[in-house]
Amino acid sequence: MFYYISFLRPPPTQAALSGEPILITPQIANDLRTEYYTDAQDIFYSWSLHSATPSPVTTKPVKLTSWRASTMYKEIPVPPPRNVRNGEYWRLILSSGTSRKDQVLSLNDESLGRQPFPVLSDPIFFSARPNKAVKQERIQRSYALTANNRDNPVIFNIIEQTSFDLDKKIWDSGIGLSSWLIQLHSGMVANTTLVSKVKNTLFASKCNVLELGAGTGMVAIVLGILQGLDIPVTAGKIITTDLPSALPLLQSNISSNQSLYHPGNAPKGVVLDWDELDISTQVASFVNGIDVIVMADVTYNTASFPALIGTLSRLIMFSMSGTQAKPPLIILGYKERDVAERTLWEMAEKIGIRFEEVAQIPGAEGPPVEVWVGTVLVNTQ
């Protein structure tokens, strides 16, 4: 399980130049915001000038408060940026460390999740005549990945909603699976026969990937960056899917990281309803076949399992009927929230999919993120 710094009370969209502090209420909780961090944790703040430059002005992190669950509802005043000018936009950054590196989550880090994850606010507009204060509805987290053929890390950003819509937040399995994919790409994972097969397929020329239940799109974005580093000309397609309500945020995250993909090879956000029986019409216009299906944290609602299994079956049949005529590999990022979720494995085997666990990403405490790979053993009915 990972812990996330976020805002119980977010900052406003606008603030006055009067020098008055910005009032916020930080929180440290799990991905669903249902379990709070139990230890005391220093939180540091800094300001980053929102601009089009690659390296915006960012102030040195300064201690803001010591967060405790016993005072989780306490309002905390944050001093505004020093010498802020009329018309400027600044982001508020909260982190658990004093270094600027602590403001970016490194997915290559072997101690991933040992410290609460940092957060950035949406830009705050400072004005001599601000409008009525409105609370922000989005946050941002910055992530770093380092490929084995690059000296400098690639930084990408993911926007989340501050609402209670669970499909618009980062979940543990998305981070855990993304971290494992980066390690796989860099050759830093145990090299079993199955793992080698996954790597050779996923990072091969013209590998078509389809993601189910994409949410914010993090896994697809990581794959798009990694594939672009290896095969910039002949990369396959990455189709990342979810329900219509999730598509605006999903597409926004893909677009905001556009410069990190090879031109013309950005992930494509597509609506895919698991209850829709004619799945080919939703997928066929984008790919001829599917080499790999990826999914993270799709098991939290056991009532959706029949629809998910039906979707997997139809996707496999679609792939088998394509020009390549071979079944896809299936990669699942999973964190146990209820033991009943593991009935998915039994249901999958009934349609010819057998899952094998290949990794665990431990996090701070509690259940780890498990990585499973599914192979199709028989013809899917």
Side-chain angles (χ1 to χ4, degrees):
M1 179 167 67
F2 304 132
Y3 285 103
Y4 304 74
I5 302 175
S6 56
F7 300 102
L8 186 61
R9 171 180 173 163
T13 56
Q14 297 189 27
L17 289 174
S18 61
E20 295 182 1
I22 306 293
L23 295 178
I24 65 167
T25 302
Q27 69 172 357
I28 305 178
N30 66 342
D31 52 359
L32 302 187
R33 313 302 190 259
T34 56
E35 298 180 43
Y36 292 97
Y37 194 63
T38 55
D39 296 332
Q41 174 65 56
D42 288 344
I43 295 179
F44 299 83
Y45 81 94
S46 62
W47 290 98
S48 179
L49 179 62
H50 184 62
S51 66
T53 60
S55 301
V57 174
T58 302
T59 64
K60 182 180 179 180
V62 176
K63 183 177 176 180
L64 176 65
T65 186
S66 291
W67 190 91
R68 293 175 176 83
S70 60
T71 57
M72 68 173 71
Y73 299 110
K74 181 180 179 181
E75 275 189 346
I76 306 295
V78 183
R82 186 176 299 178
N83 301 322
V84 60
R85 297 178 180 179
N86 184 45
E88 289 182 337
Y89 288 85
W90 289 80
R91 290 184 185 270
L92 175 62
I93 307 173
L94 301 183
S95 63
S96 59
T98 59
S99 166
R100 294 214 174 103
K101 289 184 178 179
D102 295 318
Q103 299 171 347
V104 178
L105 175 57
S106 174
L107 294 171
N108 293 78
D109 194 344
E110 293 182 358
S111 60
L112 178 69
R114 305 296 168 83
Q115 293 291 324
F117 296 153
V119 67
L120 293 82
S121 74
D122 244 7
I124 302 170
F125 178 62
F126 285 87
S127 173
R129 292 186 173 183
N131 295 326
K132 183 179 179 180
V134 177
K135 292 180 181 179
Q136 294 189 357
E137 298 181 347
R138 308 192 316 172
I139 59 173
Q140 176 179 296
R141 300 189 197 274
S142 296
Y143 301 85
L145 67 85
T146 303
N148 55 5
N149 58 347
R150 293 292 181 97
D151 293 330
N152 297 320
V154 177
I155 307 295
F156 66 96
N157 302 305
I158 300 291
I159 295 291
E160 305 174 44
Q161 298 277 18
T162 58
S163 66
F164 292 102
D165 296 330
L166 296 180
D167 61 340
K168 298 176 179 64
K169 289 181 170 59
I170 291 289
W171 286 34
D172 284 2
S173 292
I175 289 179
L177 180 56
S178 296
S179 177
W180 183 79
L181 291 170
I182 294 165
Q183 294 177 50
L184 177 71
H185 179 269
S186 300
M188 301 300 291
V189 300
N191 194 24
T192 65
T193 300
L194 182 57
V195 168
S196 294
K197 182 178 181 181
V198 173
K199 182 176 182 179
N200 292 337
T201 302
L202 194 58
F203 301 116
S205 174
K206 299 183 179 179
C207 175
N208 290 327
V209 179
L210 186 138
E211 181 183 16
L212 295 177
T216 60
M218 180 175 184
V219 175
I221 289 168
V222 167
L223 281 173
I225 295 170
L226 292 175
Q227 286 195 349
L229 295 175
D230 281 347
I231 40 177
V233 178
T234 57
K237 295 181 178 179
I238 300 174
I239 308 301
T240 179
T241 70
D242 213 315
L243 294 172
S245 61
L247 259 291
L249 180 61
L250 172 60
Q251 195 58 55
S252 175
N253 280 327
I254 292 171
S255 299
S256 67
N257 294 288
Q258 190 72 38
S259 63
L260 304 178
Y261 322 118
H262 185 267
N265 197 51
K268 175 71 175 178
V270 176
V271 171
L272 183 57
D273 188 341
W274 297 354
D275 290 317
E276 175 59 55
L277 297 181
D278 188 9
I279 206 167
S280 62
T281 60
Q282 302 176 61
V283 177
S285 60
F286 299 101
V287 290
N288 294 323
I290 303 166
D291 299 293
V292 179
I293 297 171
V294 295
M295 46 190 187
D297 255 323
V298 295
T299 58
Y300 66 96
N301 180 12
T302 56
S304 69
F305 283 6
L308 174 57
I309 291 295
T311 297
L312 288 172
S313 178
R314 290 187 287 275
L315 287 172
I316 292 169
M317 288 190 290
F318 166 75
S319 188
M320 293 287 287
S321 64
T323 56
Q324 300 181 45
K326 64 178 182 180
L329 290 170
I330 302 168
I331 305 174
L332 169 66
Y334 168 72
K335 188 185 81 171
E336 181 177 292
R337 303 178 194 274
D338 189 309
V339 67
E341 298 163 348
R342 295 190 183 271
T343 59
L344 179 69
W345 281 250
E346 301 170 9
M347 297 174 68
E349 191 145 359
K350 290 180 180 178
I351 64 164
I353 303 171
R354 178 170 295 172
F355 281 99
E356 178 181 329
E357 187 177 10
V358 296
Q360 290 191 355
I361 293 86
E365 61 184 30
V369 173
E370 304 168 12
V371 179
W372 294 76
V373 175
T375 52
V376 179
L377 305 178
V378 296
N379 290 332
T380 303
Q381 300 296 321

